[in-house]
Amino acid sequence: MTIAARVMMMHQGGWDEILIFVGPVVIIGLLIYVARKQVPTTPEEDDD
């Protein structure tokens, strides 16, 4: 098997590029979700 054929076999369909993009987006989204759950809720005060 030639190097060109191996590269072509490793690069099928673009699913690896999708994972490279979606992985960090999901991780960042989960971190934001967890951070927002940990922030204590305070009643809003009116500054009239």
Side-chain angles (χ1 to χ4, degrees):
M1 189 178 266
T2 65
I3 291 184
R6 287 182 187 172
V7 170
M8 193 64 176
M9 292 288 286
M10 290 187 293
H11 191 72
Q12 291 290 322
W15 61 269
D16 52 343
E17 286 88 359
I18 293 171
L19 290 179
I20 289 171
F21 174 76
V22 171
V25 170
V26 169
I27 291 170
I28 291 170
L30 286 172
L31 290 173
I32 291 172
Y33 174 76
V34 169
R36 286 190 177 179
K37 279 191 87 167
Q38 291 180 354
V39 173
T41 56
T42 58
E44 295 184 20
E45 298 176 7
D46 290 331
D47 292 333
D48 288 351

